Amino acid sequence: MKKSKKEEEQLPAEIEGLITELAQLRYEEDQERFDDIVAELVNHGGTLLPRLVVLADGLVYQHRRAAVEALGQLGVPEARAVVVARLSDANWKVRRSAAVAVNESPFPEALPGLLRLVTDNHRELRLAVIEALGALGLTGACEPLEGLLTDGDWRIRQEGAQALERIGDLRSFRALFVALSDDDEDVRNACCDALATLLAKADDPFLHA
């Protein structure tokens, strides 16, 4: 529905109020409010695109986080370069938000930036990156993901197996099969599910037509 003239005049003040509030939010404690504000930004659609692009390169890390996540949800091709740039942000929380944006709207140009973050020191970021790699579905991510099946963190191993399942490259079969001996039950189950998916794909007659 088209906004009335009065609503359009009120929009800048409303948005600036949300942007001001973002700068005051704490990372973990205020996550729910952060998500609400991102949703508000997305609701305004493409009219905010220029403002979001500016915010994504701003000084306040919460501004950069919110902008890049909103751009990911909007899924506009013009935002891809911005998202890729934030994958190299100095703040790991912004890098994580960029990975979340890729997961929302996957595009192949994000692959190199994501692969550089697979071995990052921050667990929360790594998990978001692995999920984004699975969403991309590109076989170029398989070897790094297979390497994660021996990571010291069980969640990383589990998410790695799930990402390999989403990509569905039959060449990952051996690495997943070896990982069936993992000490963690959740990891074993993820590997089992991935192998079942690969086996079903191998039996698909369309692959051999």
Side-chain angles (χ1 to χ4, degrees):
M1 181 181 297
K2 186 177 180 181
K3 289 182 172 62
S4 68
K5 184 176 180 181
K6 182 178 180 180
E7 288 175 323
E8 289 179 348
E9 291 172 349
Q10 291 174 340
L11 179 60
E14 178 186 352
I15 294 302
E16 292 307 319
L18 294 175
I19 291 170
T20 298
E21 184 180 353
L22 273 170
Q24 302 167 357
L25 297 183
R26 297 162 297 178
Y27 179 66
E28 292 183 354
E29 296 88 338
D30 297 321
Q31 183 61 45
E32 185 175 351
R33 179 55 183 156
F34 175 89
D35 292 339
D36 289 342
I37 292 177
V38 170
E40 283 292 324
L41 297 176
V42 173
N43 285 340
H44 289 296
T47 58
L48 275 185
L49 183 59
R51 186 74 172 102
L52 291 174
V53 170
V54 172
L55 283 175
D57 196 35
L59 295 177
V60 180
Y61 90 93
Q62 289 285 43
H63 288 171
R64 302 198 300 277
R65 286 187 64 220
V68 78
E69 290 197 25
L71 290 170
Q73 292 184 41
L74 288 170
V76 291
E78 305 94 292
R80 292 178 177 179
V82 177
V83 174
V84 168
R86 289 309 104 206
L87 287 171
S88 299
D89 197 277
N91 189 305
W92 74 267
K93 298 168 186 175
V94 181
R95 298 197 298 274
R96 179 190 175 278
S97 287
V100 170
V102 176
N103 188 46
E104 286 283 346
S105 302
F107 57 96
E109 298 87 347
L111 180 62
L114 290 171
L115 291 179
R116 286 194 295 269
L117 299 176
V118 166
T119 56
D120 194 275
N121 293 328
H122 298 91
R123 183 192 199 219
E124 190 177 346
L125 167 58
R126 295 181 73 195
L127 292 171
V129 166
I130 295 167
E131 187 173 4
L133 288 171
L136 275 180
L138 299 176
T139 57
C142 287
E143 187 173 347
L145 288 171
E146 290 167 11
L148 297 181
L149 297 177
T150 58
D151 192 89
D153 186 325
W154 72 271
R155 277 293 309 282
I156 297 293
R157 301 196 301 275
Q158 180 190 35
E159 292 291 334
Q162 291 173 345
L164 288 169
E165 179 181 8
R166 295 182 72 182
I167 294 171
D169 191 332
L170 297 175
R171 290 170 293 185
S172 297
F173 189 94
R174 178 178 176 79
L176 287 163
F177 184 80
V178 171
L180 284 176
S181 61
D182 195 279
D183 292 337
D184 188 274
E185 182 179 2
D186 290 331
V187 176
R188 294 196 301 271
N189 288 339
C191 290
C192 187
D193 290 343
L195 287 168
T197 297
L198 294 185
L199 285 172
K201 188 173 183 179
D203 290 338
D204 189 338
F206 290 103
L207 292 176
H208 309 290

